[in-house]
Amino acid sequence: MGLSWILVTILLGGPGGGLPRIQQFFTKPRTRKYKCGLPQPCPEEHLAFRMVSGAANVIGPKICLEDKMLMSSVKDNVGRGLNIALVNGVSGELLEARAFDMWAGDVNDLLKFIRPLHEGTLVFVASYDDPATKMNEETRKLFSELGSRNAKELAFRDSWVFVGAKGVQNKSPFEQHVKNSKHTNKYEGWPEALEMEGCIPRRSMVG
């Protein structure tokens, strides 16, 4: 009884007690989040993005741009392999989003998707389960031309997230890659899921 009375007195009465103390007890401070959950707003004329690769073969990837989820398990448009969203680099509008099975699928479907890209198209890529088994030399070359440093070395069950663009002159600053290694894998047969976020400058024009 004594302890209960002390608790009631602390919450309801005494100096500094009462309603403000109760509100403080039940209210958590809010951390402001910006587009796609970024901790800071992007500068003007930039597109805010956040993407997460798949976790093992259990949790699908996510691609968010300007607070809109382009690909996710909830949208039911992700799958094993490479999950790719094509975006207009000027407007930020989603052009197309598709998943390509790189274990049992046909790599020609992927090649038909990325060969005819227009200048300035942004390419968001998130791996899920296995991104590379069906990759051939042309596929790796095309991703390298979009700005990837790691496409040439992608292997079975690696984790990979990447944002590139058609017509870039330099390598993209938006890329992460973790090798599948039984010595370092977070999950038994897969490395950790990768998260990447940032601000991409809008293109001034698309050719």
Side-chain angles (χ1 to χ4, degrees), residues 3 6 16 24 35 43 49 53 59 68 75 77 85 87 89 93 99 122 129 136 141 152 184 187 197 201-202:
L3 287 174
I6 291 169
Q24 186 179 11
K35 290 178 180 178
F49 81 93
S53 69
I59 301 173
K68 295 178 182 177
K75 290 182 70 71
N77 64 349
V87 170
E93 176 189 359
L122 297 175
D129 189 354
N136 57 18
K141 182 174 182 289
K152 292 180 179 177
T184 57
Y187 310 103
E197 60 188 34
R202 290 181 188 266

Side-chain angles (χ1 to χ4, degrees), residues 31-43 46-49 66 197-199:
T31 303
R32 185 172 180 187
K33 294 289 187 181
Y34 297 90
K35 290 178 180 178
C36 293
L38 269 63
Q40 296 179 345
C42 287
H46 282 65
L47 302 168
F49 81 93
E66 287 291 285
E197 60 188 34
C199 304

